[in-house]
């Protein structure tokens, strides 16, 4: 192929319409070859994307993780060929034309929806509609927070998102746009593919929402443009960049633009155009090239866009080299927490072993967080309007408020799903370590974004309090039953349910050290005694389960428990020994996932060969993996009730007496 330098003289004659048509051709050809995919959105938004990338966005494909790059989020992830076509045209090294030819095939980088970490330059996993725009809110918030800390010479970029009708119909979008408008996240620009088409047909089948009015009501700067008028699109983006509010640009487009017979139809949304329509489209848009062929002059024009980004990146590197904040910024972006955090937690454990501190594990979490937040500024806290129930704020944490982003605490409002997605965005952006709280029962509302935390291997810490029937009088609507099983079934997610203040501090340490895995801290409302009998330099929770109480005689039964029920298991073991002379071991199991990772010898040393009884104030599902077919389970078999916590434990027969009785049945 002719060298890039030799092509520059002809690239100037290439129009942005030609550049956009390259996207259209690559999208329809890739979907056709795969016989699967969504050509309509990439073809409809090709003009908007071309203007955004050719005139505004600053990215460098040779350094895709450059910290001050603009972020691009394809919220309408089903249109993934738009992003893959852009990456090929811009010259990402992992996106040669062969990857487009392998679209949606096993082992290719061109997955059906964009996946973070699967190909260079993909800022976040999208596909579940609404997640992208909501994650972009977190990215935009992180940009403002880091700019407040490190200055505009080091942090000064935009977050752009392309969203579709489906993204805006999903409920999470309301949470996200409300939060972004309230916080005045002016570096967030959303380009809405307003094509009025959904899978079933026209969007009028299911919605009459005035979306621009909704965004205006949430405090956004809103513009409406013809998405195929490139100058109008450019003017709108420029105006959005000057706004002091987040911006929506409603781009009226034709889905499948360029297809003469299917353009504007739902038939282009999720199916190949077909050979005949592709031939007609080539003729209609004047694309006289074979499938997957992009002429050198058009390719050169796209590569010049990448060169502009490379120049911007080099200028930023010079500013970084000269900046007095360089070391602090690099430490933050590196994401490694200082040793002082873990030294503070070690001192915390030593102090409270000596004091035998009895508190609810939600309170223990607050106390551990005080040590953590005092030792680093990287942690960013928040809560879904439950700050003083989740206990997620600590002394000295200033709040993020509209226009002032120097603080460390975010009031996410009653937006559990939006909070989780925003925390994903903060983590993906880099430079901050997010944690946020709500009640465990409302993991249901946050579930979609929590799953993406795990899928993307992001260090996001979910502080889930009020973890069982032990929350008491709020009743069954607030008492989680099946939630532990749901979370434990999620791959690449650590679920911690600590039994006392020491385990709580240990679990916080493990969550912060898990740089490629999110964590859920499941915490009690009721006070729990400190059960650890001796000081240990080892983080015993790190192996997932351990023997908390080993009887002096050969064990006859093993009692296994998590969280608040470990206290019940200890009392049952004491009862068995005192009243029946039965030697019972007690195993505390704060994290199933970490225990699963231990070798067989360690697991055998913990569980032994004696019969097993598990006790947890939640559903049984999953426990048979640990107790075996002959084991017993003491826990919940239905929903809870409204009453004081002690009454509920008695009512549902989750007591030392019940555990001891279950053990006796196994032994005798």
């Amino acid at each position: 192929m002719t060298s890039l330098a030799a092509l520059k003289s002809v690239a100037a004659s290439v129009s942005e319409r030609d550049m956009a048509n390259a996207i259209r051709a690559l999208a329809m050809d890739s979907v056709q070859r795969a016989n699967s995919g969504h050509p309509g959105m990439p073809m409809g938004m090709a003009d908007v994307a071309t203007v955004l990338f050719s005139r505004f966005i600053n990215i460098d494909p040779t350094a895709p993780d450059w910290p001050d790059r603009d972020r691009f989020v394809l919220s309408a992830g089903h249109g993934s060929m738009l992003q893959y076509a852009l990456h090929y045209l811009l010259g990402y090294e992992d996106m040669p034309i062969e990857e487009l030819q392998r679209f949606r095939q096993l082992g290719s980088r061109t997955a059906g929806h964009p996946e973070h970490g699967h190909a260079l330059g993909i800022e976040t996993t999208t596909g579940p509609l609404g997640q992208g725009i909501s994650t972009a809110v977190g990215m935009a918030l992180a940009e403002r927070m880091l700019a407040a800390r490190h200055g505009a010479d080091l942090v000064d970029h935009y977050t752009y998102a392309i969203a579709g009708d489906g993204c805006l119909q999903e409920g999470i979008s309301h949470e996200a746009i409300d939060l972004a408008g309230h916080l005045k996240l002016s570096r967030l620009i959303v380009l809405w593919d307003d094509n009025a088409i959904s899978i079933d047909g026209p969007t009028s089948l299911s919605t009459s929402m005035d979306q621009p009015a909704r965004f205006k009501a949430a405090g956004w700067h809103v513009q409406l443009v013809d998405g195929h008028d490139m100058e109008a699109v450019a003017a709108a983006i420029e105006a959005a960049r000057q706004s002091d509010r987040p911006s929506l640009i409603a781009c009226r487009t034709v889905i499948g633009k360029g297809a003469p017979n299917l353009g504007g139809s739902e038939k282009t949304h999720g199916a190949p155009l077909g050979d005949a329509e592709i031939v007609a489209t080539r003729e209609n848009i004047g694309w006289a090239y074979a499938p997957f062929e992009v002429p050198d002059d058009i390719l050169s024009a796209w590569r010049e866009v990448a060169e502009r980004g490379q120049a911007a990146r080099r200028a930023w590197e010079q500013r970084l080299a000269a900046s007095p904040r360089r070391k602090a910024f690099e430490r933050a972006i590196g994401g490694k927490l200082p040793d002082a955090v873990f030294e503070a937690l070690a001192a915390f454990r030593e102090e409270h072993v000596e004091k035998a501190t009895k508190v609810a594990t939600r309170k223990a979490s607050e106390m551990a967080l005080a040590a953590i937040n005092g030792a680093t500024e990287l942690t960013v806290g928040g809560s879904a309007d439950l700050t003083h129930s989740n206990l997620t704020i600590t002394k000295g944490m200033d709040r993020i408020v509209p226009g002032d982003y120097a603080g460390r605490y975010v009031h996410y409002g009653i937006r559990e799903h939006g909070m989780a997605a925003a925390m994903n965005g903060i983590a993906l952006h880099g430079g901050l370590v997010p944690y946020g709280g709500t009640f465990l029962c409302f993991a249901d509302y946050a579930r979609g974004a929590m799953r993406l935390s795990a899928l993307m291997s992001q260090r996001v810490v979910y502080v889930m309090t009020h973890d069982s029937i032990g929350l008491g009088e709020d009743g069954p609507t607030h008492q989680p039953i099946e939630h532990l099983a749901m979370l434990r079934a999620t791959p690449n997610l650590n679920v911690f349910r600590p039994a006392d203040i020491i385990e709580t501090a240990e679990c916080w340490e493990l969550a912060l050290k898990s740089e490629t895995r999110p964590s859920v801290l499941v915490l009690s409302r009721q006070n729990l005694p400190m059960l650890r009998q001796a000081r240990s330099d080892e983080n015993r929770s790190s192996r997932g389960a351990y023997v908390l109480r080993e009887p002096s005689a050969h064990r006859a039964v093993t009692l296994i428990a998590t969280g608040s029920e470990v206290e019940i298991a200890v009392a049952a073991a004491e009862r068995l020994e005192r009243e029946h002379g039965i030697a019972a071991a007690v195993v505390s199991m704060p994290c199933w996932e970490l225990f699963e990772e231990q070798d067989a010898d360690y697991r055998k040393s913990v569980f032994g060969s004696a019969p097993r009884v598990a006790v947890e104030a939640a559903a049984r599902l999953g426990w048979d993996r640990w107790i075996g077919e002959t084991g017993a389970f003491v826990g919940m078999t239905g929903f809870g009730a409204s009453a004081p916590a002690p009454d509920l434990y008695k009512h549902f027969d989750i007591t030392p007496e019940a555990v001891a009785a279950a053990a006796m049945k196994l032994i005798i």
Side-chain angles (χ1 to χ4, degrees):
M1 181 175 285
T2 308
S3 70
L4 182 61
L7 293 169
K8 282 192 173 183
S9 60
V10 295
S13 64
V14 173
S15 71
E16 285 182 321
R17 192 72 62 192
D18 294 330
M19 296 169 72
N21 283 336
I23 295 174
R24 291 188 172 95
L26 290 170
M28 68 182 184
D29 289 342
S30 297
V31 172
Q32 185 68 21
R33 174 168 289 195
N35 196 30
S36 173
H38 301 260
M41 192 282 273
M43 296 175 72
M45 285 297 281
D47 297 327
V48 173
T50 298
V51 171
L52 174 63
F53 277 79
S54 67
R55 303 196 197 187
F56 296 98
I57 206 164
N58 275 325
I59 57 170
D60 179 5
T62 67
D65 294 331
W66 159 40
D68 201 37
R69 68 193 180 279
D70 288 334
R71 270 60 172 180
F72 172 68
V73 173
L74 187 64
S75 189
H78 55 276
S80 57
M81 266 311 306
L82 175 68
Q83 184 148 30
Y84 301 143
L86 285 166
H87 282 207
Y88 163 68
L89 294 167
L90 291 167
Y92 280 84
E93 65 178 3
D94 68 338
M95 200 59 66
I97 195 66
E98 291 78 11
E99 288 295 336
L100 275 62
Q101 293 168 342
R102 297 198 303 142
F103 179 52
R104 287 183 164 227
Q105 304 308 300
L106 183 64
S108 73
R109 297 192 183 277
T110 46
H113 294 87
E115 296 180 20
H116 173 74
H118 194 67
L120 297 175
I122 295 176
E123 301 288 358
T124 183
T125 296
T126 57
L129 294 175
Q131 290 291 337
I133 184 176
S134 306
T135 303
V137 170
M139 293 178 179
L141 176 57
E143 189 274 342
R144 291 290 79 197
M145 293 178 69
L146 289 174
R149 295 182 180 200
H150 301 286
D153 57 332
L154 298 184
V155 184
D156 183 19
H157 56 266
Y158 289 85
T159 299
Y160 298 98
I162 287 180
D165 292 298
C167 293
L168 302 192
Q169 287 182 37
E170 288 286 357
I172 190 176
S173 76
H174 185 80
E175 298 182 22
I177 69 170
D178 190 5
L179 180 62
H182 170 72
L183 291 177
K184 300 186 186 302
L185 299 180
S186 59
R187 296 307 182 88
L188 174 62
I189 298 174
V190 173
L191 301 147
W192 170 32
D193 180 18
D194 179 18
N195 60 36
I197 292 293
S198 65
I199 292 176
D200 285 353
T203 54
S204 59
L205 290 170
S206 59
T207 181
S208 300
M209 176 65 69
D210 184 339
Q211 293 289 1
R214 181 166 72 110
F215 277 79
K216 286 180 182 178
W220 286 54
H221 174 251
V222 175
Q223 302 172 83
L224 284 69
V225 300
D226 178 348
H228 304 301
D229 181 338
M230 290 181 159
E231 293 306 320
V233 171
I237 295 174
E238 185 58 45
R241 286 163 58 95
Q242 303 306 316
S243 176
D244 61 354
R245 294 172 288 160
S247 288
L248 173 75
I249 303 175
C251 304
R252 190 66 175 177
T253 61
V254 175
I255 191 170
K257 173 72 171 177
N261 302 304
L262 297 180
S265 165
E266 69 274 10
K267 293 179 181 179
T268 70
H269 175 90
L273 298 184
D275 291 331
E277 185 71 0
I278 286 178
V279 170
T281 301
R282 278 187 153 76
E283 182 176 353
N284 189 45
I285 66 175
W287 191 259
Y289 311 103
F292 300 102
E293 179 185 344
V294 178
D296 286 344
D297 57 344
I298 295 177
L299 192 61
S300 178
W302 274 110
R303 299 293 163 88
E304 286 190 11
V305 173
E307 288 186 351
R308 187 193 71 226
Q310 189 174 68
R313 188 258 303 170
R314 287 172 175 163
W316 176 84
E317 287 176 342
Q318 292 178 353
R319 296 197 300 274
L320 176 65
S323 174
R325 299 174 181 268
R326 176 180 179 177
K327 289 184 178 180
F329 179 81
E330 289 178 336
R331 281 196 301 269
I333 290 298
K336 185 174 178 59
L337 290 165
D339 292 341
V341 170
F342 307 111
E343 292 166 359
L345 285 173
F348 178 90
R349 294 198 301 268
E350 184 172 356
E351 174 189 354
H352 290 287
V353 162
E354 295 298 324
K355 292 181 177 179
T357 304
K358 178 179 181 178
V359 290
T361 51
R362 64 168 176 161
K363 181 64 177 178
S365 172
E366 178 190 44
M367 296 163 69
L369 272 171
I372 294 164
N373 291 336
T376 182
E377 293 185 350
L378 291 185
T379 46
V380 175
S383 173
D385 200 52
L386 290 167
T387 293
H388 300 295
S389 291
N390 301 145
L391 303 180
T392 42
I393 196 168
T394 60
K395 185 177 180 181
M397 293 186 81
D398 292 331
R399 292 168 167 83
I400 299 293
V401 297
D404 184 354
Y405 311 100
R408 299 174 59 186
Y409 195 82
V410 184
H411 289 279
Y412 288 104
I414 307 168
R415 307 182 182 101
E416 294 88 358
H417 203 178
M419 175 181 72
M423 288 198 295
N424 283 342
I426 292 170
L428 287 161
H429 182 280
L432 301 165
V433 179
Y435 69 86
T438 187
F439 290 177
L440 177 60
C441 198
F442 303 139
D444 286 339
Y445 287 2
R447 163 68 179 163
M450 294 177 74
R451 183 174 187 268
L452 288 186
S453 299
L455 185 59
M456 295 188 290
S457 300
Q458 294 302 300
R459 179 174 51 184
V460 177
V461 184
Y462 295 95
V463 181
M464 300 289 189
T465 69
H466 296 61
D467 69 341
S468 71
I469 58 171
L471 71 86
E473 292 86 346
D474 276 343
T477 58
H478 285 52
Q479 292 166 0
I481 303 298
E482 71 278 21
H483 300 74
L484 284 169
M486 175 265 290
L487 292 169
R488 287 167 176 160
T490 305
N492 197 44
L493 177 69
N494 282 342
V495 182
F496 296 102
R497 191 168 186 243
D500 65 6
I501 190 170
I502 303 304
E503 283 192 2
T504 302
E506 289 179 338
C507 293
W508 259 113
E509 177 180 309
L510 295 167
L512 293 174
K513 286 183 175 179
S514 298
E515 296 185 12
T516 59
R517 187 180 297 185
S519 300
V520 182
L521 294 175
V522 179
L523 307 171
S524 75
R525 179 178 184 265
Q526 70 271 35
N527 288 342
L528 302 177
M530 195 203 72
L531 298 171
R532 193 71 63 82
Q533 296 179 350
R535 176 185 175 276
S536 173
D537 291 333
E538 177 190 5
N539 184 327
R540 302 193 72 189
S541 298
S542 67
R543 304 190 80 171
Y546 63 95
V547 179
L548 176 68
R549 181 188 187 276
E550 187 74 82
S552 55
H554 180 71
R555 74 166 82 168
V557 66
T558 300
L559 310 180
I560 313 167
T562 74
S564 48
E565 286 72 69
V566 178
E567 175 188 12
I568 292 173
V570 169
E574 293 171 348
R575 184 184 186 91
L576 286 166
E577 184 173 359
R578 181 178 63 252
E579 297 183 5
H580 304 285
I582 293 174
V586 176
V587 171
S588 179
M589 197 173 184
C591 184
W592 289 18
E593 295 77 22
L594 294 181
F595 188 66
E596 181 73 55
E597 294 173 2
Q598 307 307 307
D599 60 45
D601 288 342
Y602 178 76
R603 294 200 301 268
K604 184 176 180 180
S605 73
V606 171
F607 280 166
S609 57
R612 302 168 192 170
V613 180
V615 53
E616 187 172 67
R620 177 171 183 153
L621 186 65
W623 271 108
D624 291 286
R625 163 71 176 85
W626 307 115
I627 61 178
E629 291 183 2
T630 59
F633 178 74
V634 177
M636 297 296 291
T637 58
F639 293 111
S642 178
D647 295 345
L648 291 171
Y649 274 90
K650 291 178 183 177
H651 175 75
F652 290 108
D653 208 20
I654 305 174
T655 63
E657 293 80 7
V659 175
M664 292 289 291
K665 287 182 181 179
L666 294 180
I667 296 168
I668 298 173

